[in-house]
């Protein structure tokens, strides 16, 4: 039986269409999901949309449309992004679906039955943009610490006894250092919890656009309690079958929403006697040409346009390679073009093009039969398999950029091997040796293409198809290319800008 693996993106708000920040989290999860799938895991990869709450209600009202019609329309711009970016998500959840609402109401009942919910009155600040409550001492110059506008609300509300979970959370995190990553973010969360947790308002009476509270339909649930539960509802919770995946859950989120995922969510789960996710990983923030992306600055980058111009593989590569996963990054035109030219066209593209064109023109377009391998041949051929444990660690430690670096080391080594072995000179001097060198090179291209699948699915697919390769999972690295396959005329894999 394959080992279950479960990875999730945040579910995105449908108040506006997606930008490269949303695409980023989805791409990072896709890279990990693809790696795990190729490495023999039974993968579930979830993404979706967060469709309730005041922010969405307001956005729909501003357009003068019914909230359901509004979310139906905007959700499509997020679900369309999945095939566009070549995501391998196994599900796409919308919080307005009945399967989700039923699960949230069930969870609410668990929290109520276990004595974790009481009715009270909330008076305090609320930021619609963040869908978050703020304490008086958090307000800076009349705004939320995030810069969002706040409004004062005072109404009857159900509360979750978050304060009771302060110590259990601290105890849990001291036993599970892997539960919040990277470490710097973990420390921020611990300091926040140590600062004291107040009970959390989890329902609103003045809002209609949400999941009704069981037994008190005057109230709708706080959008974050509703939204966070998507990770369970998509697995079929509370019906049996969700457990094996849930026990392996990894949530990848932006640093903006780590508190919701590492304080509120685990407290709800503990209160409902459910296991906690294995890891919440918070990544950094993308800026554009050194500025914050914002509608008012007009610098929001639409992933649909980037993909239309450069293709999805180029976009994937830049996002996954350029930013150290966890750190903040900058989407600049010069860095983008630089990476495409240097790493894709010059390094990877050139390796495939020079080797496969040479075979096409000088070796009857046929994968040659090798003679005995020399030391240099063996050293190059051993690289991918020898590096596989390193690549596994890099994925498990969320070092996605390092994974790219490691694979490109092999590409660099293969290009140096071409220069050193000079197949063009061997053609006259030693055709048998030329055949061996060309075989080694096609074999290394096969292995590299297997390893680049999580980053560059389309290009890897093209390369493997050219070589007639059918087995594409990591176990097949150990196989060897069969000589005699006739390759089609090679076309450049990457454009140069
Ligand atoms: O917060 N750089 O949805 P959201 C990097 N619905 N990542 C970015 C980014 C940027 N500039 N901008 C957005 C919500 N993101 C809630 C989540 S989950 C139960 C509910 C990514 O549409 C990043 O993953 O505001 C961030 O956490 C997420 O989009 C916020 O998406």
């Amino acid at each position: 039986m394959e080992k279950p693996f479960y990875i999730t993106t945040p579910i995105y708000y449908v108040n506006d269409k997606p930008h490269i920040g949303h695409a980023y989290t989805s791409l990072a999860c896709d890279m990990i999901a693809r790696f795990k799938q190729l490495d023999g895991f039974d993968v579930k990869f979830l993404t979706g949309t967060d469709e309730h709450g005041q922010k969405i209600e307001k956005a729909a009202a501003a357009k003068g449309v019914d909230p359901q019609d509004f979310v139906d329309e905007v959700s499509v711009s997020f679900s369309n992004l999945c095939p566009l970016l070549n995501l391998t998500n196994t599900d796409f959840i919308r919080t307005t679906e009945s399967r989700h609402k039923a699960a949230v109401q069930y969870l609410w009942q668990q929290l109520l039955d276990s004595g974790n919910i009481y009715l009270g009155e909330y008076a305090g600040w609320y930021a619609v943009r963040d869908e978050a409550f703020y304490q008086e001492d958090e307000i800076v110059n009349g705004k939320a610490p995030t810069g969002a506008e706040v409004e004062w609300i005072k109404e009857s509300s159900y509360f979750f006894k978050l304060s009771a979970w302060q110590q259990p959370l601290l105890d849990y995190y001291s036993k599970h250092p892997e539960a919040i990553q990277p470490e710097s973010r973990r420390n921020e969360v611990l300091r926040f919890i140590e600062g004291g947790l107040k009970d959390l308002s989890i329902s609103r009476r003045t809002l209609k656009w949400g999941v009704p509270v069981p037994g008190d339909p005057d109230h709708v649930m706080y959008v974050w309690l509703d939204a966070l539960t998507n990770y369970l509802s998509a697995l079929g919770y509370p019906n049996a079958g969700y457990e094996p995946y849930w026990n392996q859950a990894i949530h990848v989120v932006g640093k903006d929403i780590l508190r919701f995922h590492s304080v509120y969510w685990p407290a709800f789960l503990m209160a409902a006697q459910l296991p906690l996710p294995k890891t919440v990983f918070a990544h950094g923030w993308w800026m554009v040409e050194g500025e914050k992306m914002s509608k008012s600055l007009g610098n929001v980058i639409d992933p649909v346009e980037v993909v239309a111009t450069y293709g999805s593989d180029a976009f994937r590569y830049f996002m996954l390679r350029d930013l150290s996963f966890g750190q903040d990054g900058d989407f600049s035109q010069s860095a983008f073009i630089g990476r495409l030219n240097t790493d894709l066209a010059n390094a990877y593209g050139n390796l495939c093009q020079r080797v496969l064109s040479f075979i096409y023109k000088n070796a009857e377009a046929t994968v040659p039969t090798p003679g005995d391998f020399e030391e240099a041949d063996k050293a190059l051929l051993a690289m991918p398999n020898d590096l596989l444990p390193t690549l596994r660690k890099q994925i498990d430690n969320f070092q996605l950029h390092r994974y790219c670096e490691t694979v490109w080391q092999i590409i660099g080594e293969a290009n140096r091997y071409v220069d050193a072995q000079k197949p063009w000179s061997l053609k006259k001097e030693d055709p048998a040796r030329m055949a061996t060198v060309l075989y080694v090179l096609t074999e290394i291209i096969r292995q590299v293409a297997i390893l680049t699948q999580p980053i560059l699915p389309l290009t890897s697919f093209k390369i493997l198809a050219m070589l007639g390769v059918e087995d594409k999972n990591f176990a097949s690295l150990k196989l060897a290319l069969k000589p005699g396959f006739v390759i089609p005329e090679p076309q450049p894999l990457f454009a140069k800008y």
Side-chain angles (χ1 to χ4, degrees), residues 168-220:
L169 280 174
L170 290 172
D171 293 346
Y172 183 86
Y173 285 139
S174 79
K175 276 196 221 111
H176 296 275
E178 75 294 348
I180 306 173
Q181 296 184 47
E183 204 186 335
S184 57
R185 300 266 166 237
R186 173 173 182 264
N187 295 334
E188 278 171 26
V189 172
L190 293 183
R191 278 197 300 274
F192 176 77
I193 302 175
E194 284 159 1
L197 298 179
K198 293 214 168 66
D199 289 352
L200 181 70
S201 164
I202 50 164
S203 78
R204 299 289 302 275
R205 271 195 80 164
T206 47
L207 179 73
K208 291 283 160 274
W209 187 238
V211 180
V213 166
D216 193 351
D218 282 350
H219 288 252
V220 299

Side-chain angles (χ1 to χ4, degrees), residues 50-124:
D50 186 354
E51 308 190 354
H52 289 129
Q54 208 172 341
K55 174 163 161 153
I56 308 300
E57 195 182 56
K58 265 187 142 175
K63 291 230 156 143
V65 277
D66 170 69
Q68 187 64 53
D69 294 339
F70 178 74
V71 299
D72 285 347
E73 191 183 324
V74 186
S75 179
V76 172
S77 58
F78 282 90
S79 57
N80 281 347
L81 207 56
C82 301
L84 186 86
L85 299 175
N86 265 302
L87 304 185
T88 51
N89 55 303
T90 51
D91 198 351
F92 186 97
I93 187 139
R94 301 181 52 193
T95 54
T96 49
E97 287 174 81
S98 53
R99 60 167 171 161
H100 172 74
K101 292 190 224 170
V104 185
Q105 289 183 323
Y106 183 89
L107 182 68
W108 178 286
Q109 199 61 48
Q110 300 304 300
L111 299 177
L112 186 72
D113 293 348
S114 57
N116 281 283
I117 293 181
Y118 62 92
L119 187 61
E121 175 162 279
Y122 180 77

Side-chain angles (χ1 to χ4, degrees), residues 305-437:
E305 283 171 22
V306 183
V307 170
T309 313
Y310 299 98
S312 59
D313 271 9
F315 179 53
R316 290 175 65 107
Y317 181 74
F318 177 75
M319 299 299 272
L320 296 167
R321 170 64 188 83
D322 204 62
L323 199 152
S324 298
F325 200 53
Q327 308 285 310
D328 293 341
D330 189 35
F331 195 103
S332 78
Q333 188 70 12
S334 61
F336 185 66
I337 299 296
R339 286 262 174 230
L340 304 196
N341 286 345
T342 312
D343 300 358
L344 296 186
N346 293 352
Y348 196 12
N350 193 31
L351 172 68
C352 296
Q353 190 64 22
R354 70 209 285 216
V355 170
L356 299 176
S357 296
F358 191 89
I359 293 177
Y360 188 77
K361 289 189 194 126
N362 302 292
E364 291 163 351
T366 305
V367 175
T369 303
D372 290 341
F373 291 134
E374 294 179 1
E375 280 316 307
D377 310 340
K378 288 185 201 158
L380 183 62
L381 289 175
M383 259 184 112
N385 235 315
D386 289 353
L387 285 170
L388 191 57
T390 305
L391 294 167
R392 278 197 186 104
K393 258 194 224 132
Q394 288 168 336
I395 291 292
D396 288 339
N397 294 330
F398 302 92
Q399 296 172 311
L400 308 185
H401 59 295
R402 292 249 183 272
Y403 180 100
C404 301
E405 275 171 14
T406 306
V407 175
W408 260 256
Q409 266 173 29
I410 308 174
I411 294 172
E413 211 47 58
N415 269 321
R416 280 187 286 280
Y417 174 94
V418 182
D419 298 339
Q421 300 293 330
K422 300 187 179 57
W424 49 91
S425 308
L426 292 172
K427 195 182 162 194
K428 280 212 183 90
E429 293 159 12
D430 188 350
R433 176 65 194 152
M434 179 189 81
T436 305
V437 165

